[in-house]
Amino acid sequence: MSKAKFITFEGVDGAGKSTHLEWFSNTLRQHGIDILVTREPGGTPLGEQLREILLNHPMHPETEALLMFAARREHVEQVIRPALQRGTWVISDRFTDASMAYQGGGRGVSLSKLEQLEHWVHPDLQPDLTLLFDIPIEIARQRLDNNISLDRFEKEQGTFFEKVRQAYLARSQKTPARFAVIHAEKTRDEVQANLQRIVLSLI
Ligand code: TYD
């Protein structure tokens, strides 16, 4: 049996990541692969409580970063590692790249501090593959405008998201072999055709 894979989905809010994640995981399941879909912040009972706080309560940017990594520590321990060890693939809606992009790029928390947290929380675990849904910020914002209940991050200005986008791209350039950058402004069918190729390369 080939090794279970850890795959993460990333991108600015409004890139369409969640819709594509559902399609992608269903497609892998149709190929007989055992998959666990999870998300961050969240994925464990404590993580979901931290998510509620993170998405709704204002706080210092470093507190935000620490809570993201606290939730992640539980997630890695209780969900991600056990699944991979029993041969189940894990698809996570966001992981540490989101902290680099949102807390680092968006909020301005120092990347070296975030890298220390990354090293602390998961020194020997990285996604096998990260799908980065990249999209011009004006288009992502238009998509979010149709959404009536925006969380604390989604209510941020375009300039914040521009910094998040650039930080994601910079992170993808540091370890390009781990990333597939998806042009998420294309039609759903075009994006799915791209994802289909990725599925075929994985199975
Ligand atoms: P998101 O996947 O957008 O949830 P939903 O689709 O339900 O709105 O994630 C929630 C927010 O959390 C998102 O705006 C990005 C933010 N976030 C961070 O700022 N840092 C992190 O490390 C993670 C995992 C998420």
Side-chain angles (χ1 to χ4, degrees):
M1 192 177 66
S2 63
K3 185 177 149 286
K5 293 197 187 323
F6 177 30
I7 301 172
T8 57
F9 276 56
E10 298 282 359
V12 296
D13 296 271
K17 159 183 75 59
S18 301
T19 314
H20 292 303
L21 190 153
E22 199 180 333
W23 184 87
F24 187 85
S25 42
N26 286 338
T27 308
L28 277 175
R29 282 198 182 102
Q30 283 160 14
H31 283 90
I33 295 173
D34 181 24
I35 291 175
L36 182 127
V37 175
T38 185
R39 68 171 180 182
E40 289 203 352
T44 65
L46 176 60
E48 291 296 327
Q49 287 188 29
L50 291 172
R51 178 186 180 92
E52 200 279 321
I53 297 170
L54 280 159
L55 266 48
N56 298 299
H57 301 270
M59 63 188 79
H60 188 279
E62 290 189 351
T63 309
E64 192 176 279
L66 288 163
L67 289 181
M68 291 290 179
F69 275 96
R72 184 163 299 131
R73 183 71 188 87
E74 289 295 302
H75 195 208
V76 168
E77 183 71 17
Q78 291 190 24
V79 177
I80 301 175
R81 271 192 207 288
L84 293 173
Q85 275 163 7
R86 63 176 184 263
T88 300
W89 291 32
V90 176
I91 300 187
S92 186
D93 191 342
R94 300 191 186 281
F95 191 61
T96 292
D97 298 318
S99 300
M100 300 302 174
Y102 281 79
Q103 282 64 57
R107 303 269 195 239
V109 175
S110 114
L111 277 187
S112 80
K113 284 184 179 167
L114 294 171
E115 282 164 5
Q116 285 176 41
L117 289 172
E118 175 182 34
H119 187 68
W120 186 11
V121 167
H122 53 98
D124 49 4
L125 177 75
Q126 283 294 340
D128 296 293
L129 173 68
T130 297
L131 274 57
L132 172 55
F133 290 79
D134 183 52
I135 189 168
I137 296 306
E138 319 79 74
I139 302 177
R141 301 308 291 164
Q142 282 162 19
R143 290 184 181 175
L144 280 185
D145 281 347
N146 301 325
N147 193 334
I148 38 161
S149 59
L150 296 181
D151 67 40
R152 205 163 62 79
F153 292 98
E154 291 164 337
K155 284 185 194 139
E156 287 288 344
Q157 303 295 311
T159 49
F160 173 86
F161 285 105
E162 196 51 63
K163 288 187 273 185
V164 172
R165 181 186 187 200
Q166 294 311 324
Y168 264 132
L169 290 171
R171 176 99 167 151
S172 76
Q173 282 150 16
K174 275 193 186 169
T175 51
R178 172 163 73 83
F179 281 86
V181 180
I182 313 281
H183 298 293
E185 76 279 16
K186 294 195 173 161
T187 65
R188 186 179 295 201
D189 285 355
E190 285 171 315
V191 173
Q192 280 181 5
N194 198 350
L195 296 182
Q196 179 74 49
R197 280 191 288 277
I198 294 174
V199 167
L200 292 176
S201 74
L202 285 167
I203 57 175

